[in-house]
Amino acid sequence: MPDSKPPGSPRRSDATRTAILDAARERFAADGYERATIRAIARDASIDPSMVMRYYGSKEGLFAAAVAVDLKLPDLTALPREEIGRALVTHFLDMWEENEVLTALLRVGVTNEAGAERMQGIFRDQLLPVARTVCPDPEQVPARAALCSTQLLGLALTRYVLRFPPVVTLPREEAVAWLAPTVQRYLTAPHP
């Protein structure tokens, strides 16, 4: 039986995925991750909830696919070299405190493969180019950016998700003072 769709027309599954993602973005923005439900998202997309599960597997998988996060990283080339670590740690503390979507994505990322891949992509696509501008050894850029991620994500995980009391109560400037030299070293120090 010949295909009745004209060549180049979008497949129905693509339209369904788009409708689900659009509804999910709106619902997560309006209700937050915890209160948004698959049923409400499916209702908003005018589809059966089983279709959401078919395409995304879980609420976590849907969230990871729906979320777009701009880390809004500062231009490090405009800073004195010795201030790069401090600027990044301060920037990330601001991001974690102001962007509940980023914190929700971190929660999802530690328990869900799609969420982890999404978080990896965000950090790879946005932190790697920044590291490239300041790292003294181009071949070391991926490793150094990944090492920076260990510090930044570790701080976020322990302060905003797991909520370790000593990290939660650590004054912001003290957190910056502890982490900035390590991030600075990862990005700008000679290869060990």
Side-chain angles (χ1 to χ4, degrees), residues 8 45 48 181 190:
D48 188 86

Side-chain angles (χ1 to χ4, degrees), residues 111-132:
T111 60
N112 177 276
E113 186 177 337
E117 288 172 4
R118 183 74 182 112
M119 189 63 95
Q120 290 167 14
I122 289 166
F123 272 72
R124 179 192 59 242
D125 297 345
Q126 296 180 50
L127 188 57
L128 202 59
V130 170
R132 194 171 287 119

Side-chain angles (χ1 to χ4, degrees), residues 94-107:
D94 291 343
M95 288 294 298
W96 295 113
E97 290 170 3
E98 295 170 7
N99 189 335
E100 74 177 45
V101 171
L102 191 57
T103 303
L105 183 57
L106 180 60
R107 277 191 196 97

Side-chain angles (χ1 to χ4, degrees), residues 93 97 155 159 166-178:
L93 278 169
E97 290 170 3
L155 174 63
R159 189 172 175 109
V167 180
V168 171
T169 60
L170 188 66
R172 194 182 150 88
E173 271 308 306
E174 199 171 327
V176 172
W178 278 108

